[in-house]
Amino acid sequence: MSKRTKLLRKENNEAQRLLSSPSICILYNIQEYLRSAPISACQRESVRRDVIQMLSDAEARGETPADVIGEDYKSFCDSITAGLPRPAQPQFFLGRLRDALPAILALYAFLCAARFNVKTGWYASVKLGDLPAAAFALLMWSGPGAWLSRKIHTRQTLAKTVRVLFDLLVLTGMVVLGLLLPQQLFQIHLLAALVPLAALFVVYKLLDAKLD
């Protein structure tokens, strides 16, 4: 993320520590719900700053979070984001790409580590099943995985448990696809495999530094 967004997030993290547990709980729910909103990271942090101030002022008056947020925090978030300007389409797409790149990098590194063997001279076989397995993982994490995160984020323990089980399901699916399609497509050397990995990492760092 850009420098101004990082600075705003740092300030928000410090201000959040001064809130009571009930206020931090509702703030967490709001943060997670806003992740699915079509706004930039800077806009999310700006909303978070305003909500922290509202909750802090409420505590000073002896009021509860519900007194200022209401009983339905989702409607509260929707009313705020409805008045925010939407990012331009290219910027929104690049932001989504930046958010997806860590998972893509992790998946690519996992496949590389699973395939390379020193005994084979640092060459690895790229199998037919690797392609649908990678596509399956990305689709599951960006589709049902994202949907699950939005639906269960209000219960942190449940969210973590379901997320682990979901990730295990995805990895199992990848293994099954690899076993069903074991045909070798080609072999690749470790150094050649590291080139796209490094390129993707550079793209991620550039996007993260420029985009809000």
Side-chain angles (χ1 to χ4, degrees):
M1 65 190 72
S2 66
K3 290 183 179 180
R4 68 171 181 171
T5 305
K6 288 182 179 179
L7 179 60
L8 185 55
R9 176 170 292 184
K10 180 180 179 181
E11 293 173 353
N12 286 341
N13 289 340
E14 293 174 353
Q16 179 179 319
R17 297 190 185 99
L18 302 177
L19 296 176
S20 64
S21 296
S23 294
I24 291 177
C25 183
I26 191 65
L27 181 63
Y28 172 81
N29 293 340
I30 290 173
Q31 286 177 235
E32 293 301 306
Y33 185 72
L34 288 175
R35 291 184 189 277
S36 61
I39 58 177
S40 68
C42 188
Q43 288 174 315
R44 285 197 296 270
E45 288 300 326
S46 295
V47 173
R48 183 184 171 206
R49 176 193 58 196
D50 295 341
V51 173
I52 290 174
Q53 187 61 54
M54 292 173 62
L55 293 172
S56 179
D57 293 342
E59 289 182 5
R61 297 191 299 266
E63 297 176 347
T64 66
D67 292 329
V68 292
I69 302 299
E71 296 298 333
D72 186 359
Y73 69 88
K74 294 182 180 180
S75 297
F76 171 81
C77 293
D78 291 340
S79 65
I80 292 179
T81 56
L84 295 176
R86 294 295 185 262
Q89 201 64 28
Q91 183 180 9
F92 181 73
F93 171 77
L94 291 175
R96 292 301 187 188
L97 176 61
R98 175 200 58 191
D99 295 341
L101 276 174
I104 295 173
L105 286 167
L107 177 60
Y108 186 87
F110 170 78
L111 292 175
C112 288
R115 289 283 183 255
F116 281 102
N117 190 333
V118 180
K119 296 180 180 179
T120 61
W122 293 103
Y123 280 89
S125 297
V126 178
K127 299 182 179 181
L128 183 60
D130 292 340
L131 302 180
F136 168 75
L138 292 176
L139 286 173
M140 290 294 287
W141 283 329
S142 61
W147 180 83
L148 272 176
S149 297
R150 290 195 297 270
K151 289 297 181 182
I152 62 176
H153 67 262
T154 55
R155 299 178 63 182
Q156 298 183 46
T157 302
L158 175 63
K160 291 178 181 179
T161 303
V162 172
R163 189 70 206 189
V164 170
L165 293 175
F166 180 81
D167 290 340
L168 288 175
L169 175 64
V170 173
L171 292 176
T172 302
M174 292 176 64
V175 171
V176 171
L177 286 171
L179 294 175
L180 291 176
L181 300 169
Q183 298 86 347
Q184 178 178 305
L185 294 178
F186 57 87
Q187 286 191 322
I188 186 171
H189 193 273
L190 173 62
L191 295 179
L194 290 179
V195 172
L197 184 65
L200 287 173
F201 181 76
V202 170
V203 170
Y204 168 72
K205 296 301 291 184
L206 289 175
L207 291 176
D208 194 43
K210 297 297 182 181
L211 295 177
D212 284 325

